[in-house]
Amino acid sequence: MLIPKGFLLGFSESGFQFEMGLPGSEDPNSDWWVWVHDHENMLSGVVSGDLPENGPGYWNLYRVDHDLAFKLGMNCARIGVEWSRVFPKPTRDIRVDVDRDEDGNIVWIDVNDVVLEKLDSVANADSVNHYKSILEDWKGRGGIIILNLNHFTLPLWIHDPIALRSNGSSKAPSGWLSEETVVEFAKYATYIAWKLDGLVDLYSTLNEPNVVYTAGYVMVKTGFPPGLLSIKAATRAAKHLVEAHVRAYENIKRITRKPVGIIVSLAAIESIRQEYEDVAGLAKTLYNYSILDSITLGSSMITGSREDLRDKVDWIGVNYYSRLLVKPSKTPGFFDIVKGAGLYCNSKDVSITGRPCSDMGWEVYPEGLSKVLEEVWSKYRKPLIVTENGIADSRDVYRPKFIISHISHAVRALKEGVDVKGYLHWALTDNLEWAQGYSMRFGLVKVDYETKRRLLRPSALLFKEIAESRDIPDDMDLY
């Protein structure tokens, strides 16, 4: 199977998971930093006890990692910026004009040149210049850059999850529960575009906002901050995430004509029986498409109908790992997830349909990727990029077949008429898997966390063969 010329093949990374690891790279100013360092979280098993300052060290070793990626035939990198590095201290005193509709919703934020100059005077110049160096290094190799502006983490002055848990949202920085975060994010995102646009090919505003509000406020056993079970809070956070994307999108587009997108976590959602297709439809609406409906159609279960949100995205990033198998719930308006399939299997087990499962307990289900791509394209007609796809597999047993089958399904979708621009693997190197720590090895490249030494896994050489030949031989197309 030939991979068309121009189809991107690369990697994705995020700041918090990859940057730290060597002295001087620490960023103690984010919500996730205090969350994983909290002793109550450690004692209760909410987090693993693994700490980001012991990570792979991309902040210092980005040239090493870029060398590896380039030698593996990669031509695109999704690189993250940490808001807390750029603005470790509050920027709320730098005022902007905010317009509201008759219901009080934020419909416009004016991040103008005067505001940007003021933000420049308080930004951490060393961090901004360091990010510039990282981007210049990849760009200098001829690579495409997708700059992702937020991957879960927030500055501590925006969100303090420990104080929020102890004191309540009215007495602590409450993150996406607060409208202030919408305003401050628009300022930060616009500032980054203003400073770094000359090195960027595409932007993504938010990574997996649907995970942020579901993991933080509904599926609280995942270990995401603030870990408060509240459907009302989840809905409020979701609304603010939508508004933050749209208001940032509008201001970035005043600076640049480059595409501005969003990245969402999408599972292939299927019902356990054909007669339960309406349940699968409900699950898709609630999990997969609420954010996307808001910013394309201007109407969703999150926001209601709002014209100010309509068609405010240029491309969609698809993070795909497996499926969700669903069945009817006893709770009206919800669905239940079938255990033993998709994202709800046991580590290194076999699913109820006999498929292998990763170290994370995620069923290998490659055909779900083409299904998701076809569905998203049919629904929204926006260019797509597979911005994350990978497997936690410390033994590198399943990863070779995983790579072959998933790239194959992405290319098949392209040949069926879906506008898929590329495939980015998660991840180039091992990294901190959020609350679960360093035990989950997603990297094509193994990292020795003591020495920071990088070692290619066999699957990395397979990726190199595919990327350089631009071909997946028929005898390698395993699923």
Side-chain angles (χ1 to χ4, degrees):
M1 178 184 292
L2 290 176
I3 300 173
K5 184 179 180 180
F7 188 83
L8 302 173
L9 289 170
F11 69 95
S12 287
E13 63 85 37
S14 78
F16 186 81
Q17 294 175 274
F18 291 80
E19 287 178 351
M20 291 178 267
L22 291 170
S25 66
E26 300 86 358
D27 175 18
N29 299 306
S30 77
D31 55 351
W32 266 95
W33 173 279
V34 300
W35 185 252
V36 298
H37 282 83
D38 181 70
H39 290 290
E40 289 183 0
N41 282 343
M42 293 182 192
L43 287 170
S44 62
V46 171
V47 299
S48 66
D50 292 342
L51 300 176
E53 58 265 38
N54 301 318
Y58 178 76
W59 189 253
N60 299 92
L61 301 174
Y62 63 88
R63 292 185 182 89
V64 173
D65 290 342
H66 292 176
D67 277 341
L68 287 169
F70 187 73
K71 289 174 182 176
L72 293 178
M74 295 181 174
N75 59 11
C76 181
R78 190 195 99 193
I79 297 173
V81 175
E82 289 291 286
W83 185 354
S84 53
R85 285 195 188 272
V86 177
F87 293 113
K89 296 179 180 179
T91 56
R92 59 174 66 93
D93 288 342
I94 299 173
R95 312 299 293 178
V96 293
D97 289 334
V98 177
D99 294 341
R100 298 176 181 272
D101 64 16
E102 59 186 12
D103 296 318
N105 298 310
I106 296 175
V107 297
W108 172 249
I109 299 170
D110 184 17
V111 188
N112 56 40
D113 288 344
V114 173
V115 172
L116 292 169
E117 292 288 353
K118 290 179 179 179
L119 288 169
D120 200 35
S121 71
V122 300
N124 185 323
D126 289 341
S127 292
V128 175
N129 289 332
H130 194 84
Y131 279 120
K132 184 178 179 182
S133 297
I134 291 172
L135 301 184
E136 286 176 338
D137 184 76
W138 182 251
K139 198 73 173 175
R141 302 166 194 268
I144 299 295
I145 292 175
I146 300 172
L147 192 66
N148 184 50
L149 299 172
N150 181 263
H151 194 130
F152 298 164
T153 60
L154 295 171
L156 196 57
W157 57 270
I158 284 284
H159 185 216
D160 186 338
I162 308 304
L164 177 61
R165 181 170 64 193
S166 299
N167 305 322
S169 60
S170 64
K171 297 180 180 179
S174 57
W176 292 113
L177 296 182
S178 172
E179 272 192 333
E180 178 189 60
T181 306
V182 177
V183 176
E184 296 304 316
F185 180 75
K187 289 157 61 176
Y188 151 72
T190 310
Y191 174 77
I192 293 298
W194 186 63
K195 293 294 288 188
L196 299 178
D197 186 59
L199 296 165
V200 176
D201 296 287
L202 302 92
Y203 292 92
S204 58
T205 55
L206 300 166
N207 177 79
E208 297 185 343
N210 53 335
V211 170
V212 172
Y213 70 81
T214 55
Y217 300 98
V218 181
M219 303 168 74
V220 295
K221 292 182 180 180
T222 57
F224 273 55
L228 300 176
L229 179 58
S230 169
I231 299 298
K232 182 178 179 180
T235 304
R236 183 173 178 81
K239 173 181 177 288
H240 290 157
L241 283 155
V242 168
E243 291 176 332
H245 162 79
V246 170
R247 305 289 82 100
Y249 172 92
E250 292 165 335
N251 278 282
I252 294 171
K253 297 298 279 188
R254 297 165 79 185
I255 291 170
T256 182
R257 295 183 178 180
K258 293 171 183 175
V260 180
I262 195 169
I263 295 169
V264 286
S265 172
L266 298 178
I269 298 178
E270 302 171 349
S271 59
I272 193 168
R273 295 182 185 173
Q274 190 171 0
E275 60 262 35
Y276 298 152
E277 281 302 307
D278 58 330
V279 178
L282 172 65
K284 290 176 185 179
T285 298
L286 289 174
Y287 182 75
N288 275 4
Y289 297 133
S290 288
I291 294 283
L292 294 176
D293 282 351
S294 302
I295 63 176
T296 55
L297 308 177
S299 179
S300 74
M301 296 176 70
I302 294 171
T303 61
S305 181
R306 287 177 55 181
E307 194 63 29
D308 66 292
L309 304 177
R310 182 189 295 273
D311 200 22
K312 297 295 172 62
V313 67
D314 299 328
W315 66 276
I316 296 169
V318 173
N319 290 357
Y320 174 82
Y321 289 94
S322 189
R323 64 173 170 166
L324 283 178
L325 197 60
V326 298
K327 62 182 180 181
S329 173
K330 294 179 181 179
T331 304
F334 288 91
F335 58 91
D336 286 342
I337 294 169
V338 177
K339 303 297 174 62
L343 295 167
Y344 286 83
C345 300
N346 295 320
S347 175
K348 302 176 186 177
D349 203 350
V350 176
S351 74
I352 57 176
T353 55
R355 294 168 177 263
C357 302
S358 71
D359 298 355
M360 287 281 287
W362 294 351
E363 180 186 29
V364 178
Y365 194 71
E367 61 266 45
L369 177 57
S370 54
K371 292 177 182 178
V372 165
L373 292 171
E374 289 163 6
E375 195 169 275
V376 177
W377 169 248
S378 176
K379 189 172 175 65
Y380 302 114
R381 285 294 197 259
K382 298 287 184 181
L384 309 176
I385 300 173
V386 180
T387 39
E388 284 185 29
N389 178 248
I391 183 170
D393 180 16
S394 60
R395 300 168 296 165
D396 208 42
V397 173
Y398 300 125
R399 189 176 290 108
K401 292 182 181 180
F402 186 99
I403 291 169
I404 293 166
S405 58
H406 284 80
I407 295 178
S408 293
H409 276 281
V411 174
R412 281 176 183 161
L414 175 63
K415 293 184 176 182
E416 289 295 320
V418 178
D419 189 9
V420 188
K421 301 295 187 184
Y423 171 96
L424 308 184
H425 193 72
W426 186 275
L428 177 64
T429 65
D430 292 333
N431 59 90
L432 181 72
E433 183 52 33
W434 302 106
Q436 290 175 295
Y438 294 114
S439 62
M440 296 300 153
R441 299 272 184 162
F442 276 89
L444 294 169
V445 179
K446 180 180 179 180
V447 175
D448 182 326
Y449 288 110
E450 293 295 324
T451 65
K452 312 307 174 189
R453 184 181 175 217
R454 272 73 165 142
L455 180 67
L456 294 179
R457 292 189 167 103
S459 56
L461 300 178
L462 172 65
F463 192 100
K464 173 183 172 69
E465 180 181 344
I466 293 171
E468 291 184 344
S469 68
R470 310 292 295 183
D471 188 17
I472 302 174
D474 291 339
D475 60 350
M476 293 172 65
D477 187 3
L478 300 176
Y479 291 96

